[in-house]
C-alpha cells in the first residue's frame, strides 16, 4: 500500500494545517508503522507515526506558599513538619507520637498558601488527576513525577538555643566517639499515588508497588522504599539499600561540619538551611534550599493492574539514620540525660513553597 504525502519543503515556505492533517490521516489510515509499505525519506511537521508515544496527561500544581525573607518558623504552624511530638506543640503542626508502634511516620506535604494544613485536592501538593474520573492505567505507560520543595529552616523547636550542638543531637557528638554523627541523618521527600478513590484521602496514597500498577520481580524490578512497610512501626527496622528502590526519593540534609574562630561562635556544625542565616554566620550554610527531584518509571503490570490513577501527592518522612548497609527510622528523641538515656534525633524541618508536576506518557500502540 502506498500513501501520498504533501511535502512542505522546499516547495512551500510554510506549514499548512489542512495539509498536515491530511498527511496524518493518510499515515494513520495505512499500516501505522514504518515498513516497506509506509516509507519516506523526508520529514513532516507533525507526529510522524500514529504509534509513537504521546502525552496522555500532564498536570502541575504549586502550593502558593511564599514567605517574606526572615520569617520565623513560629510565625505559622502548618509548614512545620516535626520529628516527634514536641512538648507544647501547637495545634496545626505536623507531628507523630514518639515510640508509637503503629506510626508510619510520614506526612503529606499539604500546607497551602496560608501555611495551614489543607487536605483538599488542588491544595498543598495533592494533585487530582483528570477530575473525579482519574485515568485508567495501561501496561507500559510511563509515569514521571517532578517536584521542587523549598526547605525554609532546619528547626529545633524546643526550649534550648538552636546554635548549641548538644540540643540538636546527642551530647555524645561533642565528647565521645560513639553516638550520632553529623550527616548521619536526614529526611526524605517522595511521591505517592492514589488508585483507591477520587475522594483522595491521605491514607489511600501508596507507593507505586502498593498502589497496584507496579510489581517487583519483573525485569529485575524491586520494591519501593515506603515507611508503611516497616514491620513494627517506627522501631528502628533497617532498610537495606540492596533490596529497596530509593531512586524516587530526594534527601533533605540536616547539618554539615563548619568552622569558626571559636567554639562559642556556633561552629563545629551548621544547619544546611536557616531562615535568619544572615544573623547566624557560623551556624548555617545559608538560607532556604531547594530540594528537587524527578522519578520516572513504567507501569509494568498487565492492563495497568486494572487500576485507575486518581491523584498524586508528595510526602516527607520522619528522620532517618544511615549506616554502611542501609537506613532506619529514628524512634528516639534527644535526651541523653534522661532515664533511660535517649540519643535520638528530634530536629524538625520547615517547608515553604512546594510544586509538583505529573506526566503520563502512552506506550506505542503495537505493545500490550
Amino acid at each position: 500500500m502506498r500513501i501520498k504525502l504533501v511535502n512542505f519543503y522546499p516547495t512551500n515556505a510554510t506549514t499548512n494545517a489542512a495539509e498536515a492533517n491530511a498527511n496524518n490521516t493518510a499515515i494513520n489510515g495505512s499500516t501505522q508503522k514504518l515498513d516497506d509499505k509506509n516509507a519516506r525519506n523526508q520529514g513532516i511537521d507533525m507526529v510522524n507515526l500514529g504509534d509513537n508515544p504521546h502525552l496522555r496527561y500532564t498536570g502541575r500544581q504549586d502550593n502558593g506558599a511564599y514567605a517574606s525573607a526572615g520569617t520565623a518558623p513560629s510565625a505559622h504552624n502548618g509548614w512545620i513538619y516535626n520529628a516527634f511530638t514536641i512538648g507544647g506543640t501547637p495545634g496545626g503542626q505536623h507531628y507523630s507520637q514518639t515510640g508509637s508502634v503503629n506510626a508510619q511516620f510520614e506526612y503529606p506535604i499539604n500546607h497551602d498558601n496560608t501555611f495551614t494544613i489543607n487536605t483538599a485536592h488542588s491544595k498543598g501538593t495533592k494533585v487530582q488527576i483528570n477530575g473525579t474520573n482519574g485515568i485508567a492505567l495501561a501496561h507500559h505507560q510511563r509515569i514521571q513525577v517532578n517536584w521542587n520543595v523549598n526547605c525554609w529552616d532546619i528547626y529545633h523547636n524546643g526550649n534550648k538555643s538552636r546554635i548549641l550542638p548538644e540540643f540538636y543531637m546527642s551530647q555524645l557528638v561533642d565528647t565521645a566517639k560513639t553516638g550520632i554523627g553529623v550527616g548521619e541523618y536526614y529526611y526524605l521527600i517522595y511521591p505517592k499515588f492514589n488508585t483507591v478513590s477520587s475522594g483522595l484521602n491521605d491514607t489511600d496514597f501508596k507507593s507505586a508497588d502498593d498502589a497496584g500498577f507496579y510489581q517487583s520481580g519483573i525485569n529485575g524490578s524491586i520494591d519501593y522504599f515506603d515507611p508503611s512497610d516497616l514491620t513494627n512501626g517506627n522501631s528502628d527496622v533497617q532498610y537495606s539499600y540492596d533490596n529497596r528502590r530509593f531512586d524516587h526519593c530526594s534527601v533533605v540534609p540536616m547539618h554539615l561540619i563548619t568552622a569558626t574562630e571559636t567554639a562559642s561562635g556556633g561552629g563545629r556544625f551548621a544547619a544546611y538551611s536557616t531562615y535568619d542565616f544572615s544573623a547566624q554566620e557560623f551556624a548555617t550554610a545559608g538560607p532556604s534550599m531547594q530540594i528537587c527531584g524527578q522519578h520516572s518509571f513504567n507501569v509494568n503490570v498487565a492492563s495497568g493492574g486494572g487500576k485507575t490513577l486518581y491523584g498524586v501527592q508528595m510526602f516527607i518522612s520522619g528522620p532517618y539514620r544511615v549506616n554502611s548497609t542501609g537506613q532506619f527510622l529514628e524512634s528516639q528523641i534527644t535526651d541523653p540525660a534522661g532515664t533511660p538515656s535517649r540519643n535520638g534525633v528530634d530536629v524538625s524541618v520547615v517547608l515553604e513553597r512546594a510544586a509538583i508536576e505529573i506526566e503520563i506518557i502512552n506506550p506505542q500502540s503495537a505493545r500490550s
Side-chain angles (χ1 to χ4, degrees):
M1 177 180 178
R2 300 178 64 84
I3 61 176
K4 183 179 179 180
L5 300 178
V6 176
N7 296 329
F8 298 124
Y9 301 100
T11 305
N12 299 327
T14 60
T15 298
N16 180 277
E19 292 174 346
N21 289 334
N23 284 347
N24 189 61
T25 300
I27 290 177
N28 289 328
S30 63
T31 61
Q32 294 195 17
K33 63 180 68 176
L34 186 61
D35 56 19
D36 58 345
K37 298 179 180 179
N38 184 9
R40 61 206 186 284
N41 59 9
Q42 73 280 337
I44 55 179
D45 295 332
M46 61 180 182
V47 177
N48 289 333
L49 296 175
D51 62 346
N52 267 10
H54 65 281
L55 205 58
R56 174 68 179 85
Y57 171 86
T58 183
R60 184 187 185 280
Q61 186 168 304
D62 190 311
N63 69 347
Y66 296 93
S68 300
T71 300
S74 58
H76 308 288
N77 285 325
W79 66 341
I80 298 177
Y81 293 77
N82 288 302
F84 299 110
T85 301
I86 308 299
T89 300
Q93 292 186 11
H94 301 80
Y95 60 87
S96 179
Q97 293 291 335
T98 306
S100 171
V101 296
N102 297 316
Q104 295 181 11
F105 212 156
E106 64 177 2
Y107 313 111
I109 299 178
N110 60 2
H111 64 283
D112 61 19
N113 62 311
T114 67
F115 301 92
T116 302
I117 294 175
N118 193 329
T119 61
H121 71 76
S122 305
K123 301 294 183 180
T125 62
K126 183 182 289 186
V127 178
Q128 183 185 58
I129 304 295
N130 192 33
T132 58
N133 294 324
I135 290 180
L137 297 176
H139 199 195
H140 301 299
Q141 278 180 330
R142 191 158 191 84
I143 298 176
Q144 179 166 302
V145 184
N146 308 308
W147 61 90
N148 189 317
V149 180
N150 195 41
C151 181
W152 191 254
D153 195 78
I154 306 301
Y155 186 45
H156 184 280
N157 52 350
N159 297 319
K160 304 296 184 180
S161 170
R162 61 189 173 87
I163 66 170
L164 299 178
E166 59 265 35
F167 299 122
Y168 274 96
M169 59 188 77
S170 170
Q171 292 177 352
L172 297 175
V173 74
D174 281 339
T175 59
K177 295 180 180 179
T178 59
I180 298 170
V182 172
E184 181 187 324
Y185 60 100
Y186 45 86
Y187 284 72
L188 296 172
I189 291 177
Y190 43 88
K192 301 187 83 170
F193 307 89
N194 190 319
T195 57
V196 177
S197 165
S198 60
L200 300 181
N201 295 322
D202 288 338
T203 55
D204 291 334
F205 285 82
K206 309 292 182 182
S207 58
D209 49 347
D210 290 344
F213 55 84
Y214 171 93
Q215 182 177 330
S216 62
I218 299 177
N219 296 325
S221 59
I222 59 177
D223 285 336
Y224 280 91
F225 154 78
D226 180 6
S228 67
D229 292 331
L230 283 169
T231 57
N232 189 27
N234 59 342
S235 57
D236 296 348
V237 176
Q238 179 161 301
Y239 285 93
S240 170
Y241 292 132
D242 295 333
N243 56 21
R244 294 284 178 179
R245 289 189 68 163
F246 289 91
D247 58 331
H248 65 304
C249 298
S250 292
V251 175
V252 183
M254 298 285 100
H255 296 96
L256 74 163
I257 295 295
T258 185
T260 182
E261 74 277 18
T262 64
S264 61
R268 296 168 290 179
F269 81 99
Y272 262 97
S273 179
T274 309
Y275 77 95
D276 58 347
F277 68 97
S278 60
Q280 301 290 339
E281 181 179 358
F282 302 113
T284 180
S288 60
M289 58 180 172
Q290 297 288 316
I291 307 298
C292 303
Q294 179 186 89
H295 183 54
S296 183
F297 64 98
N298 287 333
V299 175
N300 68 356
V301 181
S303 301
K307 299 297 183 179
T308 296
L309 183 60
Y310 294 105
V312 182
Q313 185 171 208
M314 299 306 302
F315 282 72
I316 185 167
S317 71
Y320 277 84
R321 295 178 61 182
V322 63
N323 60 25
S324 62
T325 60
Q327 67 174 18
F328 59 91
L329 179 63
E330 180 56 74
S331 65
Q332 292 185 353
I333 64 172
T334 304
D335 188 12
T339 304
S341 176
R342 291 184 289 185
N343 296 310
V345 178
D346 57 10
V347 179
S348 305
V349 294
V350 179
L351 304 179
E352 189 214 23
R353 59 187 180 274
I356 178 174
E357 181 182 67
I358 303 98
E359 296 178 355
I360 302 176
I361 303 173
N362 276 344
Q364 296 182 3
S365 61
R367 303 185 69 176
S368 61

